[in-house]
Amino acid sequence: MTQPYFTNIQFHIIQALQQASSSVHVAVAWFTAPRLFAQLCELAQSGIEVELLLMDDQITRNCPIDYTQLEKFGGKVYLIDESWGILMHNKFCVIDDHLVITGSYNWSKKAESNHENITITTEEPSLAQSFLSEFKRIQELHYGKEPKKAFDLNIITKRLTIIASLIELEEYEHISAHADKLMQYDLSEAVALIGASLEVKNWTAAQADIAVYLKNARAIRIHSEYELEELRWKIKYLEIEIIALEGEQEIVKKSISDFLRTYTLKFGALLEKILKLKKEKLQAQNKAKSQAFGQAEKAYSDFKQKFEAESEIEKQHFKLSPQEIQDIKKLYRAAAKLCHPDKIKNAYPNQPEIWAQAEALFKTLSSAYEKNDLTKVREIYEQLCQGIFSQDQTGSLTNLEALRKRYEELSQKYQQLQQSLKNLIASEDYQLLSKIYDLEEFYRKEQEKLENELNALRND
């Protein structure tokens, strides 16, 4: 999905950056916005891979930002020398290999007062890969290629297993990111051949060669042990995907419910008057026994109940500032990853008491998030960080049949979640919400429209 923005651009960039979980690559000519730089430093400090490309010119040299701070936190800064005579005039950012930010907006203080724009495109790995390739091309042009990592059979085997799973699931758009990580190693001839097939998107050849390679790799292990490992990695991948999909679905659902509740509360009194007047007009026309009157009476009664119910629900919801809304989203995602029932069930097999504990905690977390209870969500996250479910027991499942059954269950759940999220995004309510660029303007027009409708009924 692609969304353009023409106002509050820095806010939308920060909002996107706060969603990062693995990597951020930024290429901009000039970077003089302190808030954006502070956000990159915070991400790098949390362990996320952050790389920055920018011009090494007078603007950058005179900027009060200390770019070495990003490197101290583990990030990388590449300054492009202006003496080359080539202006590095890109303005893009790639987050987690699938989200792309691009447009006229430089990440500078001056850009905040200009007429600028950005577009944010999500879930487009192929587009993100194109921008990442350009990032790498500029980096290598000015800094040379980074040395290859030493061949690691264990890591290579796991990476190939993930790629094979992606081909099997026909999730081709996610393969490039894993293939790029594979090519960072000093590869054997067989793996290099697989890399070449992946580069030209020859999935059939790649799948066949991976199968042969993994078969040969299994020769140094007991077959059953390798199959267990393979299934564990497939399950781990599905866990990650399911948690991400459910998190996205929860956020979309909350966006819709918050919007509908706000609409009902904002215009409830007006709508109630309109529906009541329609009913009374039909009654005055001696149509109290007509089908139209019955429908009008039901519409009025149903809306009145809904209005009262939404008013009660609103009393239980906490009011949050824009920054607090971002904080609760970030904390909810992080906490959900730590206590998601599917993850806990895989980590603690045959321990239903722990499953029940995780299920209850996850429900409490979701309820707190729905009510905008930032304090409760933070409390649950901090509780989880103390180690309640921290033991990594990925290898604790040892029964092959149980693993196969679990993999099939998660595969089905993954497909169902994909379809469910697709249907949710295609829903009338979400489509309406996604097309609203200025909520205040939308509400102003709705107010005017409803007032005109009420006046027309009164004057009829």
Side-chain angles (χ1 to χ4, degrees):
M1 183 177 75
T2 298
Q3 177 72 53
Y5 296 99
F6 304 94
T7 58
N8 298 323
I9 292 177
Q10 188 175 111
F11 167 77
H12 292 296
I13 292 175
I14 290 175
Q15 190 177 40
L17 289 171
Q18 288 174 340
Q19 297 176 27
S21 60
S22 60
S23 64
V24 174
H25 293 79
V26 181
V28 288
W30 300 287
F31 195 134
T32 60
R35 285 184 63 200
L36 290 173
F37 188 75
Q39 184 62 56
L40 290 187
C41 288
E42 183 181 328
L43 293 173
Q45 194 172 18
S46 70
I48 291 172
E49 177 189 356
V50 178
E51 296 191 8
L52 171 62
L53 274 174
L54 70 159
M55 286 296 295
D56 184 12
D57 61 5
Q58 205 65 29
I59 294 174
T60 299
R61 295 186 203 109
N62 292 335
C63 176
I65 290 177
D66 181 5
Y67 298 102
T68 62
Q69 284 296 315
L70 182 60
E71 295 180 324
K72 288 177 183 177
F73 291 130
K76 293 182 180 178
V77 179
Y78 301 98
L79 297 173
I80 308 305
D81 193 342
E82 65 175 347
S83 66
W84 278 53
I86 302 173
L87 178 62
M88 200 289 292
H89 205 238
N90 283 297
K91 304 176 186 71
F92 68 81
C93 171
V94 181
I95 299 173
D96 292 346
D97 300 335
H98 71 82
L99 186 152
V100 176
I101 305 172
T102 187
S104 67
Y105 187 86
N106 258 309
W107 294 26
S108 63
K109 293 176 69 175
K110 186 176 184 300
E112 295 178 45
S113 58
N114 295 341
H115 293 294
E116 305 282 358
N117 68 82
I118 59 166
T119 59
I120 298 181
T121 304
T122 57
E123 298 306 325
E124 286 290 345
S126 58
L127 177 66
Q129 193 56 44
S130 297
F131 279 96
L132 286 172
S133 296
E134 177 61 12
F135 186 102
K136 187 176 180 181
R137 185 190 70 80
I138 297 171
Q139 173 204 329
E140 291 182 352
L141 178 65
H142 292 267
Y143 285 84
K145 292 186 176 182
E146 294 186 354
K148 297 281 187 179
K149 299 177 183 177
F151 184 86
D152 187 317
L153 178 62
N154 190 40
I155 292 176
I156 297 298
T157 301
K158 290 175 180 177
R159 185 69 63 187
L160 288 174
T161 301
I162 292 172
I163 292 172
S165 297
L166 289 170
I167 295 174
E168 182 181 346
L169 291 167
E170 297 184 1
E171 295 284 345
Y172 304 125
E173 68 273 16
H174 296 294
I175 292 175
S176 294
H178 291 284
D180 276 356
K181 288 181 172 62
L182 191 68
M183 300 308 289
Q184 293 173 6
Y185 290 84
D186 187 9
L187 301 176
S188 65
E189 185 177 344
V191 181
L193 182 63
I194 293 170
S197 295
L198 293 173
E199 188 175 358
V200 297
K201 300 182 180 179
N202 188 343
W203 311 126
T204 303
Q207 188 175 35
D209 289 342
I210 290 173
V212 171
Y213 183 85
L214 294 179
K215 183 178 179 181
N216 291 336
R218 281 195 291 268
I220 63 173
R221 306 174 185 177
I222 299 173
H223 177 77
S224 60
E225 289 182 348
Y226 184 84
E227 192 171 355
L228 285 170
E229 181 71 5
E230 183 181 33
L231 278 170
R232 289 188 192 112
W233 274 97
K234 286 183 177 182
I235 288 170
K236 191 169 185 178
Y237 170 78
L238 285 173
E239 280 176 12
I240 294 168
E241 290 296 306
I242 286 170
I243 291 170
L245 280 173
E246 287 191 338
E248 180 66 20
Q249 184 171 261
E250 188 67 26
I251 288 169
V252 172
K253 281 182 178 178
K254 190 174 188 302
S255 298
I256 293 172
S257 65
D258 286 352
F259 170 72
L260 294 178
R261 185 180 303 112
T262 301
Y263 186 96
T264 301
L265 295 172
K266 189 176 282 288
F267 304 116
L270 261 176
L271 288 165
E272 191 172 333
K273 289 177 183 178
I274 290 170
L275 292 170
K276 185 179 181 181
L277 194 53
K278 285 181 177 180
K279 182 189 75 167
E280 290 173 348
K281 279 187 171 292
L282 287 169
Q283 193 172 23
Q285 296 168 8
N286 296 318
K287 295 181 179 180
K289 295 183 180 180
S290 69
Q291 183 179 359
F293 177 82
Q295 291 173 344
E297 189 172 40
K298 186 176 187 304
Y300 172 72
S301 176
D302 288 350
F303 180 77
K304 191 173 182 180
Q305 289 180 14
K306 179 183 177 183
F307 188 23
E308 290 172 355
E310 292 290 6
S311 299
E312 286 301 313
I313 292 172
E314 184 66 9
K315 292 176 184 177
Q316 301 173 24
H317 278 62
F318 294 80
K319 300 293 184 183
L320 299 179
S321 67
Q323 180 58 52
E324 287 173 330
I325 289 172
Q326 294 310 309
D327 291 343
I328 198 171
K329 281 184 181 179
K330 190 174 181 180
L331 285 168
Y332 171 77
R333 284 194 181 100
K337 289 178 182 178
L338 294 173
C339 70
H340 193 280
D342 285 325
K343 181 176 182 180
I344 300 305
K345 191 173 285 188
N346 292 332
Y348 297 86
N350 305 317
Q351 297 188 53
E353 68 281 1
I354 295 182
W355 303 351
Q357 187 182 1
E359 190 79 43
L361 192 59
F362 188 75
K363 284 181 180 178
T364 302
L365 173 67
S366 298
S367 176
Y369 176 66
E370 172 61 28
K371 294 176 182 177
N372 287 338
D373 191 347
L374 177 58
T375 301
K376 187 64 177 177
V377 171
R378 180 178 282 113
E379 177 186 319
I380 293 172
Y381 173 69
E382 290 173 354
Q383 179 186 357
L384 288 164
C385 287
Q386 290 173 8
I388 181 173
F389 296 125
S390 63
Q391 186 177 356
D392 185 2
Q393 299 191 14
T394 306
S396 61
L397 289 171
T398 57
N399 185 289
L400 191 56
E401 287 305 315
L403 275 169
R404 286 172 179 163
K405 183 179 179 182
R406 186 66 181 147
Y407 175 71
E408 288 301 320
E409 290 173 355
L410 290 176
S411 296
Q412 290 178 15
K413 185 172 183 178
Y414 174 75
Q415 292 170 8
Q416 290 167 357
L417 276 170
Q418 277 189 315
Q419 188 58 50
S420 176
L421 183 58
K422 184 178 179 181
N423 293 342
L424 193 61
I425 290 173
S427 68
E428 184 178 345
D429 290 332
Y430 186 79
Q431 286 300 305
L432 171 63
L433 180 58
S434 65
K435 291 174 184 175
I436 298 174
Y437 299 129
D438 187 334
L439 268 175
E440 291 306 315
E441 178 65 13
F442 171 79
Y443 289 142
R444 186 191 67 76
K445 289 181 178 179
E446 284 295 295
Q447 178 84 22
E448 185 178 11
K449 183 183 77 172
L450 292 171
E451 285 176 348
N452 289 338
E453 183 179 356
L454 181 60
N455 290 331
L457 283 167
R458 284 171 173 167
N459 297 328
D460 187 7

